[in-house]
Amino acid sequence: GYFVLLAAPTVTADSKPAPKDIVFVVDTSGSMAGAKLEQAKKALQFCIENLNDEDRFEIVRFSTEAEPLFGRLVTADKAERKRASDFIAGLKPIGGTAISDALAKALALQSGTGARPFVVIFLTDGLPTVGTRNPEEIVAEVKKTSQARIFSFGIGSDVNTQLLDQIAEGTRAFSQYVLAEEDLEVKVSNFYTR
């Protein structure tokens, strides 16, 4: 015969979440103009405000080229969160979509020790148009990194869903999609709270 066993860990009020390293990768290409970028900015602001003090983070903005905010993982103290909030507020849409370069910069921030969970939250609306454009090559590069988990959020109807799904599956994560009229902030904040 067969049976199903469901087990859930208990969480006490004094349990503290494990410190983690998070890299937020946000698409600021020209196709993100308008509501899409505004939604992405609100979702990022929510995540930054809800980091734990022991967490470390980085933001990588990308369009034609990828630009990290700090150039390294920084502790989520008040000053760095403020700097991140100012950076997010100043994001503007311009240029192409260098997905491969952005993910490479994010994955290069791993410590390699595996002592802390390493998570990438990837927000994009498009297809790769700059640098490596072949989805198989992008997925192969991402899969070389065994410790990272890349959670992908596709925005709009022009997303390469196959690429984002393969990236997420290859890193033991998941992908979600939001239509232009849906609220990205709700989906990202629900995921992030979990």
Side-chain angles (χ1 to χ4, degrees):
Y2 298 92
F3 70 92
V4 174
L5 172 67
L6 299 175
T10 57
V11 179
T12 60
D14 60 341
S15 296
K16 289 180 64 174
K20 59 197 163 302
D21 293 340
I22 304 177
V23 181
F24 302 97
V25 179
V26 60
D27 185 346
T28 59
S29 60
S31 61
M32 286 287 287
K36 289 193 243 181
L37 186 57
E38 290 309 310
Q39 283 192 39
K41 287 163 75 167
K42 285 197 298 187
L44 280 175
Q45 290 285 15
F46 173 86
C47 293
I48 296 301
E49 289 167 12
N50 287 282
L51 288 167
N52 298 314
D53 292 336
E54 298 82 23
D55 293 339
R56 296 184 306 186
F57 76 104
E58 169 67 292
I59 300 173
V60 177
R61 174 217 63 82
F62 75 97
S63 54
T64 304
E65 56 191 33
E67 173 196 1
L69 169 59
F70 302 107
R72 59 187 169 78
L73 291 167
V74 297
T75 304
D77 62 26
K78 189 175 179 180
E80 301 299 12
R81 287 183 200 184
K82 170 75 170 104
R83 190 169 160 201
S85 291
D86 293 344
F87 179 77
I88 292 166
L91 293 176
K92 304 268 189 269
I94 190 167
T97 310
I99 288 176
S100 179
D101 188 30
L103 291 176
K105 283 202 184 333
L107 295 174
L109 296 169
Q110 289 182 91
S111 66
T113 64
R116 298 164 66 107
F118 185 83
V119 176
V120 175
I121 297 176
F122 180 44
L123 307 168
T124 185
D125 79 330
L127 308 166
T129 60
V130 177
T132 304
R133 296 180 194 165
N134 183 326
E136 289 80 21
E137 289 179 31
I138 295 171
V139 171
E141 283 298 315
V142 167
K143 283 184 177 180
K144 285 181 185 176
T145 310
S146 61
Q147 296 173 359
R149 298 180 74 189
I150 302 174
F151 295 90
S152 303
F153 291 86
I155 308 164
S157 56
D158 296 332
V159 180
N160 185 338
T161 57
Q162 186 177 12
L163 171 62
L164 296 186
D165 287 345
Q166 288 177 349
I167 289 171
E169 289 169 16
T171 60
R172 305 166 329 279
F174 64 81
S175 51
Q176 283 191 313
Y177 300 96
V178 181
L179 295 174
E181 64 274 5
E182 288 184 281
D183 193 346
L184 171 67
E185 183 182 7
V186 170
K187 288 202 176 180
V188 172
S189 60
N190 286 343
F191 154 75
Y192 192 76
T193 301
R194 265 186 293 160

